[in-house]
């Protein structure tokens, strides 16, 4: 089996279609080389080797060593340099490359191949001693950190002391002699911490770096990133070994990161940063504040340092042509890394760029309108879950703002929260229910868990393409980076700016769209969903088959749902209405009554309230179906607990408190989730469902008469396990409908069906469909009853189950297709076999999960129902599922 694939110098053993084998970076390097772009030669060790490396106890087979030797020979032949040659040394970079982008999560080593001999040869070949020793100190520092796993801070401290002793601010002020002295210090630090001298054999260096890159696939930060982004652990990473080109060879050299379109807003404009006389890590790590790529961007920001367009006009024009070529070739916005070595441009990487939801929408719509992609491709390009970024409030432009400082608008959106200064605290306080803002001098990959937990991220250093910016955009978190006026002390848990102090626990607000940092909490406004959002939703609606409804039980929920494009209500829970303060006493009176007459007295008091509830909902949803679930929860949830509550019910019912307490004790259940609830209430106390049905039909007729547009009530009987249960309850509903229609002299169309939330109901769906006119799969409870797992208690162990591969995802977040999904599929098939026109939907939380929606399309359900803010997500996911099918 072949594990090494070459690229550059007229050779491309792979291409863009080989991402699974070569990782995204390796596949795209080979592709760029094949279309004639200037790519330094190199080779890729495949992801298959990563899998084998772990299977064989982190060892390399001899066959791989032979292939790597041939790969080095390929680079030597193209560059006319030799690996380890003191006179004309070849230096290489060793980088990771998973099949999907994981920015900053895995390791990189640059300038590999330098030692005490080759550094002299590099100085001679480049005629630049300062550059050579700068490269050597960089290599030792990076290798010590990544491969030897020594204390990174000790090397940083040595560098800072060296600059301080010389009165320097920037690394570029250091001379060759300064770097040479620092190299000696670095080597001494390695020997002190590692117990051995820094490795001088270039082949030992190479295999150490390859092992470190493979090893970083199993680092804690990579595991967290994979878990957060649903990346399988068995994919592995590739390793890319590539000839070094140098952006730190003086003022005609540079390095940069760029996007072919704005990844925050989606505008069709080159977007990026570069640094003169620097290496790539200087840009992405935020060690120096970079300069703008274009003159327009520099002027808009009011920055003084020349843009690349102004400082290197010829190279910039060449780079701009490459941008256009790559975007046209890949038919997507590209994220590019480049280096300029003594006025010669080299392309180091291209990949589809991470972007905000707003940018994703604009780019997809613009590219379709430009004819670069089809409308169907535009629909497929936008991650439905990312729409969540657009569906929540932004800062109220009229609200008062106490602006502390301003940084770079690195990731849009706004957030308020309590300041924390480290990732662990962010995770801990967020888990306790607090909103937090993570404040760092600069973030690193080790901060990934805290960044995910935080509502927003603020850094003092780093540019628009720094680690904090890229990761925050991918997560949909607001981020302000490069707020250079902040003095942050993580140790003392305080930030200082303009004579003011903000301590841990104080509240800050950040605006990732403007870069403003504000003291205190700032009011927000709802987003306006128009423009590109409306266009893409229109395109999505034209191709999707599944209808999308909302889970809603208040007029406000219904209004929000309609604004987001809901085509009805798929689940209106009635129990929440009963908890209203002005009716809970009557509900308790009904529950605690010892006979039907007592219950009916209380129900008569509740009827007008319940009718009013349904009227308000039907008015918003006039002309659309509304699935109303009759009372479902265990009665104990409504029982009084305090003495004053018992006294209130006793007075309303005309009974003594002791009698009521005895009755409450009789109603106690040991396992109420599986107890006297759902249709079991209706079977034992049919008058409850009778009252609700009457309220539904009276409200429907009221709205039909008032608006001229009748709602379509779908009365849902919960927790049905047998045909007979549904038969009894349907008779109650039909009787109520008949009475109301006779009284009012008017009828409305309605359906009676059930929620399939028990395994027995799924298995006996054929019989149940003889009575039920629709099924709505209540996947929350169906998951509980199928897996035997309580969703209220499972959080403490489900994450471990997911990490260990027992479940691919949390089954309460994304449908367990193999188990619960099998029951849904079976019930749909058996229900249709009995009643060909039966309406089938899903109304659990899975109705807003894109993966679960794809399953619903596959099974052929008629609709999904999601919470109002997830309706657009469901609409887009349904369209994508239809296109895939």
């Amino acid at each position: 089996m072949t594990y090494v694939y070459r690229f550059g110098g007229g050779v491309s053993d792979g291409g863009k279609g080989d991402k699974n084998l070569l990782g995204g970076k390796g596949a795209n390097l080979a592709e760029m080389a094949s279309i004639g772009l200037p790519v330094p030669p190199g080779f890729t060790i495949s992801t298959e080797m990563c899998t084998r490396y772990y299977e064989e106890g982190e060892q390399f087979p001899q066959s791989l060593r032979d292939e790597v030797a041939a790969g080095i020979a390929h680079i030597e032949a193209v560059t006319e340099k030799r690996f380890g040659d003191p006179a004309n040394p070849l230096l290489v970079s060793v980088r990771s490359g998973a099949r999907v982008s994981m920015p900053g999560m895995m390791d990189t080593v640059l300038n590999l191949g330098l030692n005490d001999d080759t550094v002299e040869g590099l100085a001679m070949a480049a005629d630049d001693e300062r550059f050579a020793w700068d490269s050597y100190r960089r290599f030792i520092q990076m290798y010590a950190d990544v491969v030897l796993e020594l204390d990174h801070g000790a090397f940083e401290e040595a560098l800072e002391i060296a600059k301080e002793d010389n009165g320097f601010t920037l690394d570029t002020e250091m001379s060759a002699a300064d770097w040479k002295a620092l190299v000696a210090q670095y080597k001494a630090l390695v020997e002190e911490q590692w117990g051995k001298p820094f490795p001088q054999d270039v082949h030992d260096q190479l295999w150490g770096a390859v092992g470190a890159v493979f090893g970083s696939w199993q680092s804690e930060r990579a595991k967290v990133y994979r878990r957060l982004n649903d990346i399988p652990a068995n994919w592995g990473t590739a390793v890319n070994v590539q000839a070094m080109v140098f952006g730190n060879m003086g003022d005609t050299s540079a390095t940069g990161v760029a996007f072919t379109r704005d990844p925050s807003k989606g505008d069709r404009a080159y977007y990026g940063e570069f640094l003169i006389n620097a290496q790539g890590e200087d840009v992405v790590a935020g060690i120096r504040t970079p300069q703008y790529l274009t003159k327009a961007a520099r002027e808009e920001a009011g920055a003084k340092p020349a843009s690349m367009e102004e400082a290197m006009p010829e190279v910039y024009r060449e780079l701009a042509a490459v941008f256009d070529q790559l975007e046209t070739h890949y038919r997507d916005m590209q994220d590019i890394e480049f280096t300029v070595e003594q006025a010669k441009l080299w392309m180091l990487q291209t990949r589809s760029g991470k972007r905000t939801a707003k940018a994703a929408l604009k780019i997809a719509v613009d590219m379709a309108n430009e004819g670069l992609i089809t409308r169907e491709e535009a629909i497929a390009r936008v991650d439905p879950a990312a729409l969540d970024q657009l569906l929540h409030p932004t800062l109220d432009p009229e609200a008062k703002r106490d602006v502390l400082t301003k940084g770079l608008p690195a990731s849009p959106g706004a957030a308020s929260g309590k300041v924390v200064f480290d990732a662990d605290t962010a995770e801990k306080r967020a888990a306790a229910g607090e909103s937090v803002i993570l404040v760092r001098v600069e973030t690193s990959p080790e901060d990934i868990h805290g960044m995910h937990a935080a509502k927003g991220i603020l850094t003092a250093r780093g540019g628009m393409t720094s680690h904090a910016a890229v990761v925050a955009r991918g997560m949909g978190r607001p981020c302000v980076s490069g707020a250079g006026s902040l003095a942050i002390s993580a140790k003392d848990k305080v930030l200082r700016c303009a004579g003011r102090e903000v301590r841990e626990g104080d509240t800050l607000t950040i605006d990732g769209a403007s870069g403003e940092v504000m003291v205190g909490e700032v009011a927000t406004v709802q987003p306006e969903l128009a423009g590109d959002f409306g266009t893409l939703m229109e395109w999505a609606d034209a191709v999707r088959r599944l209808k999308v409804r909302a889970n809603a039980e208040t007029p406000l929920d219904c209004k929000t749902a309609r604004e987001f494009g809901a085509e009805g209500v798929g689940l209106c829970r009635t129990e929440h209405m009963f908890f209203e303060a002005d009716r809970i006493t009557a509900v308790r009176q009904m529950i605690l009554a010892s006979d039907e007459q007592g219950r009916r007295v209380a129900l008569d008091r509740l009827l007008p309230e319940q009718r009013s509830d349904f009227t308000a909902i039907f008015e918003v949803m006039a002309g659309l179906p509304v699935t109303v679930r009759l009372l479902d929860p265990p009665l104990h949830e409504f029982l009084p607990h305090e003495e004053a509550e018992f006294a209130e019910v006793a007075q309303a019912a005309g009974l003594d408190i002791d009698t009521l307490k005895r009755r409450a004790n009789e109603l106690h259940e040991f396992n109420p989730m599986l107890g006297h609830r759902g249709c079991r209430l209706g079977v034992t106390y049919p008058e409850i469902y009778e009252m609700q049905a009457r309220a539904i039909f009276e409200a429907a007729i009221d709205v039909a008469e008032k608006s001229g547009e009748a709602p379509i009530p779908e009365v849902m009987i919960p927790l049905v396990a047998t045909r007979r249960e549904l038969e009894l309850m349907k008779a109650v509903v039909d009787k109520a409908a008949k009475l109301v229609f006779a009284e009012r002299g008017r009828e409305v169309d309605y359906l009676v069906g059930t929620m399939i939330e028990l395994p027995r109901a799924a298995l006996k769906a054929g019989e149940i469909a003889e009575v039920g006119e629709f099924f709505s799969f209540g996947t929350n409870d169906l998951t509980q009853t199928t897996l035997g797992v309580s969703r209220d208690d499972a959080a403490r162990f489900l994450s471990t189950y997911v990490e260990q591969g027992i479940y691919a995802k949390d089954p309460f977040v994304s449908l367990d297709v193999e188990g619960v999904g099998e029951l849904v599929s079976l019930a749909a098939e058996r229900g249709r076999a009995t009643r060909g026109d039966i309406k089938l939907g899903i109304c659990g939380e899975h109705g807003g999960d894109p993966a679960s929606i794809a399953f619903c399309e596959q099974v052929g359900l008629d609709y999904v129902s999601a919470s109002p803010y997830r309706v657009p997500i469901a609409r887009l996911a349904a369209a994508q599922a239809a296109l895939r099918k």
Side-chain angles (χ1 to χ4, degrees), residues 418-488:
K418 294 181 178 177
V419 170
V420 295
F421 291 93
D422 65 89
D424 290 343
T425 303
E427 188 175 51
K428 184 178 178 182
R429 294 184 78 154
E434 293 184 57
S435 296
V436 299
I437 302 293
L438 178 62
V439 178
R440 306 283 282 153
V441 174
E442 57 189 325
T443 64
S444 73
E446 281 73 20
D447 293 322
I448 183 75
H449 58 295
M451 296 173 75
H452 185 261
K455 296 293 185 186
I457 297 136
L458 170 63
T459 68
R461 296 209 311 229
M464 304 282 278
T465 52
S466 66
H467 174 266
V470 171
V471 173
R473 279 198 295 269
M475 287 180 170
R477 298 289 185 278
C479 176
V480 173
S481 65
S485 61
L486 297 179
I488 297 169

Side-chain angles (χ1 to χ4, degrees), residues 172-217:
T172 48
E173 296 173 272
M174 297 277 279
S175 68
D178 296 327
W179 287 133
K180 195 178 289 189
L182 190 63
V183 163
Q185 281 185 262
Y186 276 7
K187 286 163 64 181
L189 275 172
V190 169
E191 188 153 8
E192 177 188 319
Q193 292 188 25
W194 194 41
K196 289 184 281 187
F198 186 79
Q200 295 290 305
D201 186 299
V202 295
H203 296 283
D204 288 346
Q205 293 174 358
L206 176 62
W207 286 104
V210 171
V213 171
F214 279 151
S216 66
W217 178 253

Side-chain angles (χ1 to χ4, degrees), residues 12-35 99 325-332 334 350-352 381:
S12 284
D13 292 336
K16 65 180 180 180
D18 297 314
K19 284 187 178 180
N20 291 359
L21 180 69
L22 304 181
K25 189 173 295 181
N28 288 331
L29 284 168
E31 185 72 13
M32 284 197 295
S34 73
I35 62 174
R99 67 171 79 173
Q325 183 180 351
L326 284 173
E327 185 170 279
T328 302
H329 183 76
Y330 283 94
R331 300 166 65 248
D332 196 7
Q334 294 297 289
T350 192
R351 60 190 174 194
S352 292
R381 286 275 173 94

Side-chain angles (χ1 to χ4, degrees), residues 15-93:
K16 65 180 180 180
D18 297 314
K19 284 187 178 180
N20 291 359
L21 180 69
L22 304 181
K25 189 173 295 181
N28 288 331
L29 284 168
E31 185 72 13
M32 284 197 295
S34 73
I35 62 174
L37 294 183
V39 175
F43 60 87
T44 301
I45 304 173
S46 72
T47 56
E48 291 174 340
M49 187 64 239
C50 184
T51 304
R52 182 173 172 182
Y53 174 75
Y54 283 106
E55 286 174 350
E56 298 185 0
E58 301 182 20
Q59 298 296 315
F60 297 113
Q62 183 58 46
S63 61
L64 179 67
R65 294 180 182 272
D66 296 339
E67 285 189 65
V68 167
I72 291 289
H74 162 67
I75 303 174
E76 290 175 334
V78 177
T79 61
E80 299 181 346
K81 299 176 182 179
R82 291 192 61 78
F83 194 47
D85 182 356
N88 188 25
L90 167 68
L91 304 188
V92 296
S93 63

Side-chain angles (χ1 to χ4, degrees), residues 309 312-319:
E309 186 177 9
M312 297 180 164
E314 289 184 17
V315 180
Y316 172 79
R317 280 195 292 273
E318 184 184 353
L319 181 64

